[in-house]
Amino acid sequence: MTRLLLASHSPTRRRMLEAAGITFEAVSAPLDEDSAKAGLLRSGFDARDMAEMLAELKAKSVTASPAALVLGADQTLERENGVILGKPGSRAGAREQLLSLRGADHKLHSAAVLVCNGERLWGCVESVTLSVRNFSEHFLDDYLEREGEAVLGSAGAYRVEALGAQLFDRIEGSHFAILGLPLIPLLEELRRQAIVTS
């Protein structure tokens, strides 16, 4: 049976695959993400295409046996004005990001790419629109205190599966994509590749 390697140690992506009954092995992707993102920005990639290309670069950076399928995944956050937000480096950075999103819509683009023997076999990007409510600064300070270091692990400084759900008025799109993986299209492809029973 073909091995599936997840080129990520993201606990959320691992939990999603495990919950869906997928047998896989998580491996590190030896990709300098900051350099890769900077290069893609200089090349004019928009947020959606950047998510897909980063997922592909992660998958291709993994050394694997010829029979293995490598799954790369990435996610970008795009504000209404096209600005791409990364993970905040500090609590102050998280506060600044959340204030910049307050009262407005933004998009999350979640990408997955499958690579075999260094060649791309399949890719998918799902985009979700999230509307952030006009929360008070009192709420924001309480939210940051309660979430602690967890806010530093995601672009936008929120986890919608946790207290971050309180930040939103409306969400349009796949819950799985919000968590960082276009899971339903991925499962369809894994069935096609006979990784999952059809």
Side-chain angles (χ1 to χ4, degrees), residues 59-97:
K60 286 183 174 179
S61 73
V62 172
T63 302
S65 65
L69 275 180
V70 183
L71 171 61
D74 206 276
Q75 184 180 65
T76 55
L77 186 155
E78 177 184 14
R79 289 198 330 223
E80 282 182 315
N81 54 6
V83 171
I84 299 171
L85 294 184
K87 295 176 183 177
S90 64
R91 182 166 161 166
R95 192 175 200 279
E96 184 179 330
Q97 281 195 4

PDB file of all heavy atoms in Angstrom, residues 59-97:
ATOM      1  N   ALA A  59       5.775  20.006   0.238  1.00  0.00           N
ATOM      2  CA  ALA A  59       5.716  18.594  -0.154  1.00  0.00           C
ATOM      3  C   ALA A  59       6.972  18.193  -0.922  1.00  0.00           C
ATOM      4  O   ALA A  59       7.535  17.119  -0.695  1.00  0.00           O
ATOM      5  CB  ALA A  59       4.466  18.334  -0.985  1.00  0.00           C
ATOM      6  N   LYS A  60       7.424  19.052  -1.818  1.00  0.00           N
ATOM      7  CA  LYS A  60       8.595  18.721  -2.637  1.00  0.00           C
ATOM      8  C   LYS A  60       9.897  18.765  -1.847  1.00  0.00           C
ATOM      9  O   LYS A  60      10.904  18.205  -2.278  1.00  0.00           O
ATOM     10  CB  LYS A  60       8.676  19.666  -3.839  1.00  0.00           C
ATOM     11  CG  LYS A  60       7.629  19.357  -4.897  1.00  0.00           C
ATOM     12  CD  LYS A  60       7.769  20.255  -6.111  1.00  0.00           C
ATOM     13  CE  LYS A  60       6.815  19.832  -7.219  1.00  0.00           C
ATOM     14  NZ  LYS A  60       6.915  20.718  -8.401  1.00  0.00           N
ATOM     15  N   SER A  61       9.884  19.417  -0.683  1.00  0.00           N
ATOM     16  CA  SER A  61      11.108  19.509   0.117  1.00  0.00           C
ATOM     17  C   SER A  61      11.371  18.234   0.915  1.00  0.00           C
ATOM     18  O   SER A  61      12.463  18.055   1.454  1.00  0.00           O
ATOM     19  CB  SER A  61      11.033  20.709   1.074  1.00  0.00           C
ATOM     20  OG  SER A  61      10.131  20.453   2.144  1.00  0.00           O
ATOM     21  N   VAL A  62      10.381  17.353   0.975  1.00  0.00           N
ATOM     22  CA  VAL A  62      10.507  16.116   1.753  1.00  0.00           C
ATOM     23  C   VAL A  62      11.154  15.031   0.895  1.00  0.00           C
ATOM     24  O   VAL A  62      10.724  14.778  -0.232  1.00  0.00           O
ATOM     25  CB  VAL A  62       9.130  15.635   2.251  1.00  0.00           C
ATOM     26  CG1 VAL A  62       9.220  14.253   2.880  1.00  0.00           C
ATOM     27  CG2 VAL A  62       8.563  16.638   3.246  1.00  0.00           C
ATOM     28  N   THR A  63      12.186  14.404   1.421  1.00  0.00           N
ATOM     29  CA  THR A  63      12.803  13.263   0.753  1.00  0.00           C
ATOM     30  C   THR A  63      12.012  12.020   1.126  1.00  0.00           C
ATOM     31  O   THR A  63      11.868  11.692   2.305  1.00  0.00           O
ATOM     32  CB  THR A  63      14.271  13.097   1.190  1.00  0.00           C
ATOM     33  OG1 THR A  63      14.972  14.311   0.890  1.00  0.00           O
ATOM     34  CG2 THR A  63      14.925  11.940   0.472  1.00  0.00           C
ATOM     35  N   ALA A  64      11.479  11.339   0.109  1.00  0.00           N
ATOM     36  CA  ALA A  64      10.624  10.185   0.369  1.00  0.00           C
ATOM     37  C   ALA A  64      10.913   9.094  -0.654  1.00  0.00           C
ATOM     38  O   ALA A  64      11.477   9.355  -1.714  1.00  0.00           O
ATOM     39  CB  ALA A  64       9.153  10.594   0.289  1.00  0.00           C
ATOM     40  N   SER A  65      10.493   7.883  -0.320  1.00  0.00           N
ATOM     41  CA  SER A  65      10.647   6.781  -1.266  1.00  0.00           C
ATOM     42  C   SER A  65       9.760   7.044  -2.479  1.00  0.00           C
ATOM     43  O   SER A  65       8.750   7.747  -2.384  1.00  0.00           O
ATOM     44  CB  SER A  65      10.255   5.462  -0.601  1.00  0.00           C
ATOM     45  OG  SER A  65       8.878   5.472  -0.286  1.00  0.00           O
ATOM     46  N   PRO A  66      10.125   6.492  -3.645  1.00  0.00           N
ATOM     47  CA  PRO A  66       9.369   6.763  -4.875  1.00  0.00           C
ATOM     48  C   PRO A  66       7.889   6.416  -4.795  1.00  0.00           C
ATOM     49  O   PRO A  66       7.070   7.031  -5.470  1.00  0.00           O
ATOM     50  CB  PRO A  66      10.078   5.892  -5.926  1.00  0.00           C
ATOM     51  CG  PRO A  66      11.453   5.712  -5.395  1.00  0.00           C
ATOM     52  CD  PRO A  66      11.320   5.679  -3.902  1.00  0.00           C
ATOM     53  N   ALA A  67       7.540   5.442  -3.945  1.00  0.00           N
ATOM     54  CA  ALA A  67       6.139   5.019  -3.871  1.00  0.00           C
ATOM     55  C   ALA A  67       5.303   5.889  -2.933  1.00  0.00           C
ATOM     56  O   ALA A  67       4.085   5.771  -2.915  1.00  0.00           O
ATOM     57  CB  ALA A  67       6.065   3.568  -3.419  1.00  0.00           C
ATOM     58  N   ALA A  68       5.940   6.732  -2.157  1.00  0.00           N
ATOM     59  CA  ALA A  68       5.206   7.505  -1.149  1.00  0.00           C
ATOM     60  C   ALA A  68       4.510   8.710  -1.770  1.00  0.00           C
ATOM     61  O   ALA A  68       5.015   9.338  -2.701  1.00  0.00           O
ATOM     62  CB  ALA A  68       6.152   7.961  -0.051  1.00  0.00           C
ATOM     63  N   LEU A  69       3.342   9.020  -1.224  1.00  0.00           N
ATOM     64  CA  LEU A  69       2.655  10.267  -1.543  1.00  0.00           C
ATOM     65  C   LEU A  69       2.955  11.249  -0.424  1.00  0.00           C
ATOM     66  O   LEU A  69       2.813  10.905   0.751  1.00  0.00           O
ATOM     67  CB  LEU A  69       1.143  10.060  -1.603  1.00  0.00           C
ATOM     68  CG  LEU A  69       0.519   9.563  -2.893  1.00  0.00           C
ATOM     69  CD1 LEU A  69      -0.985   9.433  -2.724  1.00  0.00           C
ATOM     70  CD2 LEU A  69       0.824  10.496  -4.048  1.00  0.00           C
ATOM     71  N   VAL A  70       3.372  12.466  -0.781  1.00  0.00           N
ATOM     72  CA  VAL A  70       3.668  13.478   0.226  1.00  0.00           C
ATOM     73  C   VAL A  70       2.603  14.564   0.136  1.00  0.00           C
ATOM     74  O   VAL A  70       2.347  15.116  -0.944  1.00  0.00           O
ATOM     75  CB  VAL A  70       5.068  14.091   0.028  1.00  0.00           C
ATOM     76  CG1 VAL A  70       5.363  15.103   1.144  1.00  0.00           C
ATOM     77  CG2 VAL A  70       6.134  13.007  -0.012  1.00  0.00           C
ATOM     78  N   LEU A  71       1.984  14.853   1.269  1.00  0.00           N
ATOM     79  CA  LEU A  71       0.947  15.874   1.354  1.00  0.00           C
ATOM     80  C   LEU A  71       1.535  17.140   1.967  1.00  0.00           C
ATOM     81  O   LEU A  71       1.982  17.128   3.111  1.00  0.00           O
ATOM     82  CB  LEU A  71      -0.217  15.364   2.206  1.00  0.00           C
ATOM     83  CG  LEU A  71      -1.311  16.368   2.587  1.00  0.00           C
ATOM     84  CD1 LEU A  71      -1.998  16.933   1.352  1.00  0.00           C
ATOM     85  CD2 LEU A  71      -2.320  15.722   3.526  1.00  0.00           C
ATOM     86  N   GLY A  72       1.529  18.206   1.198  1.00  0.00           N
ATOM     87  CA  GLY A  72       1.918  19.519   1.714  1.00  0.00           C
ATOM     88  C   GLY A  72       0.666  20.359   1.904  1.00  0.00           C
ATOM     89  O   GLY A  72      -0.295  20.240   1.140  1.00  0.00           O
ATOM     90  N   ALA A  73       0.670  21.198   2.922  1.00  0.00           N
ATOM     91  CA  ALA A  73      -0.495  22.046   3.188  1.00  0.00           C
ATOM     92  C   ALA A  73      -0.031  23.404   3.693  1.00  0.00           C
ATOM     93  O   ALA A  73       1.002  23.506   4.357  1.00  0.00           O
ATOM     94  CB  ALA A  73      -1.412  21.389   4.213  1.00  0.00           C
ATOM     95  N   ASP A  74      -0.785  24.424   3.353  1.00  0.00           N
ATOM     96  CA  ASP A  74      -0.484  25.758   3.868  1.00  0.00           C
ATOM     97  C   ASP A  74      -1.764  26.582   3.840  1.00  0.00           C
ATOM     98  O   ASP A  74      -2.752  26.221   3.199  1.00  0.00           O
ATOM     99  CB  ASP A  74       0.619  26.447   3.061  1.00  0.00           C
ATOM    100  CG  ASP A  74       1.359  27.473   3.903  1.00  0.00           C
ATOM    101  OD1 ASP A  74       0.884  28.625   4.012  1.00  0.00           O
ATOM    102  OD2 ASP A  74       2.391  27.118   4.484  1.00  0.00           O
ATOM    103  N   GLN A  75      -1.706  27.693   4.547  1.00  0.00           N
ATOM    104  CA  GLN A  75      -2.858  28.579   4.649  1.00  0.00           C
ATOM    105  C   GLN A  75      -2.369  30.020   4.686  1.00  0.00           C
ATOM    106  O   GLN A  75      -1.361  30.326   5.328  1.00  0.00           O
ATOM    107  CB  GLN A  75      -3.637  28.261   5.925  1.00  0.00           C
ATOM    108  CG  GLN A  75      -4.920  29.043   6.099  1.00  0.00           C
ATOM    109  CD  GLN A  75      -5.614  28.662   7.396  1.00  0.00           C
ATOM    110  OE1 GLN A  75      -5.080  28.901   8.470  1.00  0.00           O
ATOM    111  NE2 GLN A  75      -6.787  28.065   7.297  1.00  0.00           N
ATOM    112  N   THR A  76      -3.071  30.896   3.979  1.00  0.00           N
ATOM    113  CA  THR A  76      -2.761  32.322   4.046  1.00  0.00           C
ATOM    114  C   THR A  76      -4.019  33.080   4.443  1.00  0.00           C
ATOM    115  O   THR A  76      -5.141  32.645   4.167  1.00  0.00           O
ATOM    116  CB  THR A  76      -2.241  32.871   2.699  1.00  0.00           C
ATOM    117  OG1 THR A  76      -3.185  32.566   1.667  1.00  0.00           O
ATOM    118  CG2 THR A  76      -0.879  32.282   2.359  1.00  0.00           C
ATOM    119  N   LEU A  77      -3.818  34.209   5.092  1.00  0.00           N
ATOM    120  CA  LEU A  77      -4.916  35.092   5.491  1.00  0.00           C
ATOM    121  C   LEU A  77      -4.780  36.384   4.708  1.00  0.00           C
ATOM    122  O   LEU A  77      -3.727  37.009   4.701  1.00  0.00           O
ATOM    123  CB  LEU A  77      -4.872  35.361   6.990  1.00  0.00           C
ATOM    124  CG  LEU A  77      -6.043  36.157   7.569  1.00  0.00           C
ATOM    125  CD1 LEU A  77      -6.226  35.840   9.049  1.00  0.00           C
ATOM    126  CD2 LEU A  77      -5.878  37.670   7.404  1.00  0.00           C
ATOM    127  N   GLU A  78      -5.865  36.765   4.050  1.00  0.00           N
ATOM    128  CA  GLU A  78      -5.856  37.962   3.196  1.00  0.00           C
ATOM    129  C   GLU A  78      -6.920  38.942   3.668  1.00  0.00           C
ATOM    130  O   GLU A  78      -8.106  38.621   3.709  1.00  0.00           O
ATOM    131  CB  GLU A  78      -6.140  37.539   1.750  1.00  0.00           C
ATOM    132  CG  GLU A  78      -6.229  38.685   0.770  1.00  0.00           C
ATOM    133  CD  GLU A  78      -6.604  38.215  -0.625  1.00  0.00           C
ATOM    134  OE1 GLU A  78      -7.053  37.060  -0.789  1.00  0.00           O
ATOM    135  OE2 GLU A  78      -6.462  39.025  -1.557  1.00  0.00           O
ATOM    136  N   ARG A  79      -6.474  40.139   4.022  1.00  0.00           N
ATOM    137  CA  ARG A  79      -7.426  41.195   4.370  1.00  0.00           C
ATOM    138  C   ARG A  79      -8.089  41.733   3.104  1.00  0.00           C
ATOM    139  O   ARG A  79      -7.641  41.478   1.991  1.00  0.00           O
ATOM    140  CB  ARG A  79      -6.710  42.326   5.105  1.00  0.00           C
ATOM    141  CG  ARG A  79      -6.291  41.921   6.495  1.00  0.00           C
ATOM    142  CD  ARG A  79      -5.977  43.079   7.409  1.00  0.00           C
ATOM    143  NE  ARG A  79      -5.460  44.267   6.786  1.00  0.00           N
ATOM    144  CZ  ARG A  79      -4.447  44.989   7.251  1.00  0.00           C
ATOM    145  NH1 ARG A  79      -3.832  44.624   8.362  1.00  0.00           N
ATOM    146  NH2 ARG A  79      -4.046  46.076   6.647  1.00  0.00           N
ATOM    147  N   GLU A  80      -9.148  42.524   3.280  1.00  0.00           N
ATOM    148  CA  GLU A  80      -9.908  43.065   2.147  1.00  0.00           C
ATOM    149  C   GLU A  80      -9.029  43.815   1.152  1.00  0.00           C
ATOM    150  O   GLU A  80      -9.265  43.786  -0.038  1.00  0.00           O
ATOM    151  CB  GLU A  80     -11.003  44.008   2.654  1.00  0.00           C
ATOM    152  CG  GLU A  80     -12.221  43.289   3.202  1.00  0.00           C
ATOM    153  CD  GLU A  80     -13.300  44.260   3.638  1.00  0.00           C
ATOM    154  OE1 GLU A  80     -12.976  45.250   4.312  1.00  0.00           O
ATOM    155  OE2 GLU A  80     -14.471  44.013   3.302  1.00  0.00           O
ATOM    156  N   ASN A  81      -8.006  44.483   1.640  1.00  0.00           N
ATOM    157  CA  ASN A  81      -7.149  45.290   0.763  1.00  0.00           C
ATOM    158  C   ASN A  81      -6.012  44.488   0.138  1.00  0.00           C
ATOM    159  O   ASN A  81      -5.097  45.047  -0.442  1.00  0.00           O
ATOM    160  CB  ASN A  81      -6.573  46.480   1.551  1.00  0.00           C
ATOM    161  CG  ASN A  81      -5.869  46.036   2.826  1.00  0.00           C
ATOM    162  OD1 ASN A  81      -5.700  44.839   3.080  1.00  0.00           O
ATOM    163  ND2 ASN A  81      -5.453  46.996   3.628  1.00  0.00           N
ATOM    164  N   GLY A  82      -6.074  43.164   0.253  1.00  0.00           N
ATOM    165  CA  GLY A  82      -5.053  42.324  -0.357  1.00  0.00           C
ATOM    166  C   GLY A  82      -3.827  42.092   0.493  1.00  0.00           C
ATOM    167  O   GLY A  82      -2.930  41.340   0.103  1.00  0.00           O
ATOM    168  N   VAL A  83      -3.752  42.714   1.667  1.00  0.00           N
ATOM    169  CA  VAL A  83      -2.618  42.528   2.568  1.00  0.00           C
ATOM    170  C   VAL A  83      -2.659  41.112   3.146  1.00  0.00           C
ATOM    171  O   VAL A  83      -3.713  40.637   3.558  1.00  0.00           O
ATOM    172  CB  VAL A  83      -2.633  43.574   3.712  1.00  0.00           C
ATOM    173  CG1 VAL A  83      -1.596  43.243   4.775  1.00  0.00           C
ATOM    174  CG2 VAL A  83      -2.399  44.965   3.149  1.00  0.00           C
ATOM    175  N   ILE A  84      -1.512  40.457   3.148  1.00  0.00           N
ATOM    176  CA  ILE A  84      -1.407  39.101   3.677  1.00  0.00           C
ATOM    177  C   ILE A  84      -0.841  39.171   5.088  1.00  0.00           C
ATOM    178  O   ILE A  84       0.203  39.782   5.314  1.00  0.00           O
ATOM    179  CB  ILE A  84      -0.493  38.235   2.782  1.00  0.00           C
ATOM    180  CG1 ILE A  84      -1.074  38.148   1.366  1.00  0.00           C
ATOM    181  CG2 ILE A  84      -0.325  36.834   3.381  1.00  0.00           C
ATOM    182  CD1 ILE A  84      -0.161  37.500   0.362  1.00  0.00           C
ATOM    183  N   LEU A  85      -1.546  38.557   6.032  1.00  0.00           N
ATOM    184  CA  LEU A  85      -1.080  38.537   7.417  1.00  0.00           C
ATOM    185  C   LEU A  85      -0.439  37.189   7.731  1.00  0.00           C
ATOM    186  O   LEU A  85      -0.994  36.143   7.396  1.00  0.00           O
ATOM    187  CB  LEU A  85      -2.242  38.757   8.389  1.00  0.00           C
ATOM    188  CG  LEU A  85      -2.942  40.110   8.378  1.00  0.00           C
ATOM    189  CD1 LEU A  85      -3.993  40.157   9.494  1.00  0.00           C
ATOM    190  CD2 LEU A  85      -1.959  41.243   8.550  1.00  0.00           C
ATOM    191  N   GLY A  86       0.690  37.219   8.411  1.00  0.00           N
ATOM    192  CA  GLY A  86       1.334  36.011   8.897  1.00  0.00           C
ATOM    193  C   GLY A  86       1.019  35.811  10.366  1.00  0.00           C
ATOM    194  O   GLY A  86       0.178  36.503  10.942  1.00  0.00           O
ATOM    195  N   LYS A  87       1.706  34.857  10.977  1.00  0.00           N
ATOM    196  CA  LYS A  87       1.512  34.624  12.404  1.00  0.00           C
ATOM    197  C   LYS A  87       2.095  35.793  13.190  1.00  0.00           C
ATOM    198  O   LYS A  87       3.187  36.266  12.871  1.00  0.00           O
ATOM    199  CB  LYS A  87       2.204  33.324  12.823  1.00  0.00           C
ATOM    200  CG  LYS A  87       1.600  32.086  12.199  1.00  0.00           C
ATOM    201  CD  LYS A  87       2.388  30.847  12.567  1.00  0.00           C
ATOM    202  CE  LYS A  87       1.822  29.611  11.877  1.00  0.00           C
ATOM    203  NZ  LYS A  87       2.615  28.410  12.158  1.00  0.00           N
ATOM    204  N   PRO A  88       1.382  36.271  14.208  1.00  0.00           N
ATOM    205  CA  PRO A  88       1.932  37.379  15.001  1.00  0.00           C
ATOM    206  C   PRO A  88       3.119  36.894  15.828  1.00  0.00           C
ATOM    207  O   PRO A  88       3.130  35.774  16.322  1.00  0.00           O
ATOM    208  CB  PRO A  88       0.759  37.773  15.907  1.00  0.00           C
ATOM    209  CG  PRO A  88      -0.061  36.532  16.021  1.00  0.00           C
ATOM    210  CD  PRO A  88       0.082  35.808  14.714  1.00  0.00           C
ATOM    211  N   GLY A  89       4.113  37.744  15.963  1.00  0.00           N
ATOM    212  CA  GLY A  89       5.307  37.345  16.698  1.00  0.00           C
ATOM    213  C   GLY A  89       5.227  37.576  18.191  1.00  0.00           C
ATOM    214  O   GLY A  89       6.091  37.130  18.945  1.00  0.00           O
ATOM    215  N   SER A  90       4.175  38.266  18.618  1.00  0.00           N
ATOM    216  CA  SER A  90       4.055  38.620  20.036  1.00  0.00           C
ATOM    217  C   SER A  90       2.591  38.886  20.350  1.00  0.00           C
ATOM    218  O   SER A  90       1.749  39.007  19.451  1.00  0.00           O
ATOM    219  CB  SER A  90       4.860  39.881  20.332  1.00  0.00           C
ATOM    220  OG  SER A  90       4.309  40.979  19.615  1.00  0.00           O
ATOM    221  N   ARG A  91       2.305  39.010  21.636  1.00  0.00           N
ATOM    222  CA  ARG A  91       0.937  39.341  22.031  1.00  0.00           C
ATOM    223  C   ARG A  91       0.540  40.722  21.503  1.00  0.00           C
ATOM    224  O   ARG A  91      -0.591  40.926  21.076  1.00  0.00           O
ATOM    225  CB  ARG A  91       0.827  39.300  23.557  1.00  0.00           C
ATOM    226  CG  ARG A  91      -0.570  39.595  24.050  1.00  0.00           C
ATOM    227  CD  ARG A  91      -0.728  39.228  25.496  1.00  0.00           C
ATOM    228  NE  ARG A  91      -1.876  39.898  26.072  1.00  0.00           N
ATOM    229  CZ  ARG A  91      -2.410  39.585  27.226  1.00  0.00           C
ATOM    230  NH1 ARG A  91      -1.908  38.600  27.944  1.00  0.00           N
ATOM    231  NH2 ARG A  91      -3.445  40.238  27.702  1.00  0.00           N
ATOM    232  N   ALA A  92       1.481  41.657  21.518  1.00  0.00           N
ATOM    233  CA  ALA A  92       1.196  42.990  20.971  1.00  0.00           C
ATOM    234  C   ALA A  92       0.892  42.894  19.476  1.00  0.00           C
ATOM    235  O   ALA A  92      -0.003  43.579  18.959  1.00  0.00           O
ATOM    236  CB  ALA A  92       2.378  43.925  21.219  1.00  0.00           C
ATOM    237  N   GLY A  93       1.625  42.028  18.774  1.00  0.00           N
ATOM    238  CA  GLY A  93       1.371  41.820  17.352  1.00  0.00           C
ATOM    239  C   GLY A  93       0.009  41.190  17.116  1.00  0.00           C
ATOM    240  O   GLY A  93      -0.693  41.530  16.155  1.00  0.00           O
ATOM    241  N   ALA A  94      -0.381  40.269  17.998  1.00  0.00           N
ATOM    242  CA  ALA A  94      -1.701  39.641  17.900  1.00  0.00           C
ATOM    243  C   ALA A  94      -2.801  40.685  18.085  1.00  0.00           C
ATOM    244  O   ALA A  94      -3.802  40.690  17.365  1.00  0.00           O
ATOM    245  CB  ALA A  94      -1.826  38.539  18.953  1.00  0.00           C
ATOM    246  N   ARG A  95      -2.599  41.572  19.048  1.00  0.00           N
ATOM    247  CA  ARG A  95      -3.593  42.624  19.308  1.00  0.00           C
ATOM    248  C   ARG A  95      -3.736  43.532  18.082  1.00  0.00           C
ATOM    249  O   ARG A  95      -4.845  43.875  17.658  1.00  0.00           O
ATOM    250  CB  ARG A  95      -3.169  43.435  20.530  1.00  0.00           C
ATOM    251  CG  ARG A  95      -4.237  44.364  21.062  1.00  0.00           C
ATOM    252  CD  ARG A  95      -3.773  45.043  22.356  1.00  0.00           C
ATOM    253  NE  ARG A  95      -4.906  45.538  23.109  1.00  0.00           N
ATOM    254  CZ  ARG A  95      -5.532  46.689  22.844  1.00  0.00           C
ATOM    255  NH1 ARG A  95      -5.109  47.455  21.859  1.00  0.00           N
ATOM    256  NH2 ARG A  95      -6.570  47.069  23.586  1.00  0.00           N
ATOM    257  N   GLU A  96      -2.605  43.884  17.495  1.00  0.00           N
ATOM    258  CA  GLU A  96      -2.601  44.747  16.308  1.00  0.00           C
ATOM    259  C   GLU A  96      -3.315  44.062  15.139  1.00  0.00           C
ATOM    260  O   GLU A  96      -4.110  44.687  14.427  1.00  0.00           O
ATOM    261  CB  GLU A  96      -1.151  45.075  15.935  1.00  0.00           C
ATOM    262  CG  GLU A  96      -1.015  46.036  14.777  1.00  0.00           C
ATOM    263  CD  GLU A  96       0.448  46.337  14.477  1.00  0.00           C
ATOM    264  OE1 GLU A  96       1.271  46.307  15.409  1.00  0.00           O
ATOM    265  OE2 GLU A  96       0.749  46.582  13.302  1.00  0.00           O
ATOM    266  N   GLN A  97      -3.036  42.763  14.941  1.00  0.00           N
ATOM    267  CA  GLN A  97      -3.688  42.035  13.849  1.00  0.00           C
ATOM    268  C   GLN A  97      -5.197  42.001  14.044  1.00  0.00           C
ATOM    269  O   GLN A  97      -5.966  42.257  13.111  1.00  0.00           O
ATOM    270  CB  GLN A  97      -3.145  40.610  13.755  1.00  0.00           C
ATOM    271  CG  GLN A  97      -1.801  40.500  13.069  1.00  0.00           C
ATOM    272  CD  GLN A  97      -1.471  39.075  12.683  1.00  0.00           C
ATOM    273  OE1 GLN A  97      -2.275  38.154  12.853  1.00  0.00           O
ATOM    274  NE2 GLN A  97      -0.285  38.875  12.156  1.00  0.00           N
TER     275      GLN A  97
END
